[in-house]
Amino acid sequence: MLKIPDHQVAGHEAGAGKLGPLVDDSGRFYKPLQSGKRGAEEAAFYESFSSNTKVPEHIRKYFPTYYGTKVMKASTGVEHPHIVLQDLASTRVNPSIMDIKIGSRTWGPEASDAYIAKCLERDRESTSVTLGFRLSGLQVFINNESGFYKPNRDFIHKIGPDDVRVILRKFVSSNPSEKLDTAPDCSLASSVYGGTNGILAQLLELKAWFEDQTIYHFNACSVLFMFEKGLVLNGASSNAEVKLIDFAHVTEGKGVIDHNFLGGLCSLIKFISDILETMGHTATNGQLEV
Ligand SMILES: Nc1ncnc2c1ncn2[C@@H]1O[C@H](COP(=O)(O)OP(=O)(O)OP(=O)(O)O)[C@@H](O)[C@H]1O
Ligand SMILES: O=P(O)(O)O[C@@H]1[C@H](O)[C@H](O)[C@@H](OP(=O)(O)O)[C@H](OP(=O)(O)O)[C@H]1O
């Protein structure tokens, strides 16, 4: 049975007459090919990436598994080609998820002047230019009674660097709320951001690859942070995951480092490290002891 995903936090959403992703009960996520070159280029990226032997195995786990493309009835009711992916949320019950678009620049080298102008406006209005990344959307599970803290898109579009800092803290707090002025307790920071398998460790592993890889330039891609609060509270070992998604603007690296993505990633790492440091973790050799 196909349905609209329960846990989408950003991007184009399926609705009455609106094209958006669908999921099934076997753990697959169907992303409709976007209009123009974007859909075809995203599918081409997945084809290239999934067969590229230069991508190390320990890096592949940061990407959703790709199952090809399929023409099928879309959310609009009309037949449309879709990219078939692993549904990253399918094994989770109440996932806390954050989508962070990486890079101070969100277009590729061959973008038209009109497209650059559209992106530049968004990059300047958001924290992309100042921080090298911006929050695209999030949901944080509070409890069964209150459900999720899920700020709306208009609010997310307006936030500045200080708000980003607060929201990254709220994401790992027991008391997230609509107000930006409350003090998030960061009670889950050590388990979610810290630890040998936590989000910081995963970001550092990705960073090491980005310092070296020159195969692709990940223009306008997002990292997804995901964890299950219930498992953290039960003391299970870290269930936090980092994934990369949204590859409609990936271009060839042509032997050059993806400095736009790498810079944004370093900036995000600094924000996460700062949160852990304020929780009493100490930095040694550029890595945090957690
Ligand atoms: N493989 C996946 N499994 C589960 N959820 C996913 C997956 N890919 C994307 N999502 C969800 O869908 C959202 C949008 O994904 P994506 O960025 O690929 O779509 P988009 O419409 O291209 O976005 P944009 O408008 O930012 O370009 C993500 O924030 C995430 O919540
Ligand atoms: O961050 P938001 O508010 O979700 O805005 C969307 C985001 O900037 C996407 O990256 C962009 O798709 P592209 O990157 O593929 O251009 C999309 O453009 P669109 O609405 O023209 O598809 C925007 O609506």
Side-chain angles (χ1 to χ4, degrees):
M1 251 287 276
L2 288 165
K3 61 167 194 163
I4 294 173
D6 291 329
H7 302 297
Q8 186 177 343
V9 299
H12 302 89
E13 285 172 22
K18 276 173 56 196
L19 202 53
L22 298 170
V23 291
D24 67 13
D25 41 24
S26 78
R28 298 204 173 182
F29 183 94
Y30 300 85
K31 178 170 174 174
L33 259 69
Q34 289 176 272
S35 59
K37 291 189 301 183
R38 294 177 300 177
E41 290 189 354
E42 184 160 31
F45 166 76
Y46 273 112
E47 285 290 334
S48 156
F49 183 84
S50 56
S51 60
N52 194 324
T53 52
K54 290 189 182 136
V55 177
E57 275 315 306
H58 72 280
I59 292 303
R60 239 171 235 294
K61 67 171 184 278
Y62 292 111
F63 291 76
T65 310
Y66 170 66
Y67 298 106
T69 57
K70 185 178 179 186
V71 177
M72 55 186 255
K73 203 183 217 190
S75 55
T76 52
V78 176
E79 295 278 306
H80 191 91
H82 291 68
I83 297 171
V84 187
L85 298 169
Q86 169 195 8
D87 177 3
L88 299 169
S90 70
T91 56
R92 299 191 177 263
V93 184
N94 292 306
S96 293
I97 306 179
M98 180 147 37
D99 178 321
I100 307 171
K101 198 184 274 282
I102 305 291
S104 60
R105 169 181 49 73
T106 58
W107 63 89
E110 288 177 10
S112 67
D113 288 351
Y115 188 72
I116 292 175
K118 174 188 136 177
C119 292
L120 188 56
E121 194 179 338
R122 286 221 168 98
D123 295 353
R124 281 187 175 144
E125 278 168 358
S126 70
T127 61
S128 292
V129 169
T130 47
L131 302 184
F133 66 88
R134 68 171 179 256
L135 306 187
S136 292
L138 71 146
Q139 63 175 33
V140 191
F141 183 66
I142 305 170
N143 54 39
N144 286 331
E145 292 71 49
S146 310
F148 290 89
Y149 163 63
K150 190 170 184 176
N152 68 38
R153 204 172 277 224
D154 291 344
F155 170 81
I156 289 287
H157 280 164
K158 282 190 306 220
I159 62 176
D162 292 340
D163 307 323
V164 166
R165 211 176 282 282
V166 173
I167 290 178
L168 287 169
R169 292 172 64 89
K170 272 182 199 281
F171 187 61
V172 290
S173 290
S174 60
N175 59 345
S177 73
E178 302 298 328
K179 289 192 195 142
L180 275 172
D181 56 358
T182 53
D185 61 21
C186 291
S187 60
L188 312 176
S190 301
S191 318
V192 175
Y193 288 154
T196 46
N197 299 316
I199 279 177
L200 178 62
Q202 295 178 53
L203 292 175
L204 289 169
E205 187 170 42
L206 269 173
K207 174 176 166 256
W209 184 60
F210 273 93
E211 283 167 345
D212 183 54
Q213 79 84 18
T214 59
I215 316 168
Y216 302 110
H217 281 191
F218 289 87
N219 309 298
C221 290
S222 288
V223 297
L224 272 193
F225 292 173
M226 305 177 76
F227 72 94
E228 189 80 34
K229 183 177 180 181
L231 292 176
V232 176
L233 295 179
N234 283 342
S237 63
S238 178
N239 68 86
E241 275 184 314
V242 172
K243 297 285 179 183
L244 292 181
I245 57 158
D246 201 1
F247 305 110
H249 303 282
V250 174
T251 48
E252 282 179 28
K254 298 185 178 165
V256 176
I257 291 281
D258 186 356
H259 45 83
N260 181 57
F261 191 98
L262 180 59
L265 190 59
C266 289
S267 174
L268 178 60
I269 285 171
K270 173 68 177 152
F271 274 71
I272 303 295
S273 304
D274 282 353
I275 294 171
L276 286 168
E277 277 196 56
T278 60
M279 300 301 293
H281 299 286
T282 51
T284 48
N285 304 326
Q287 303 247 347
L288 282 173
E289 279 191 345
V290 285

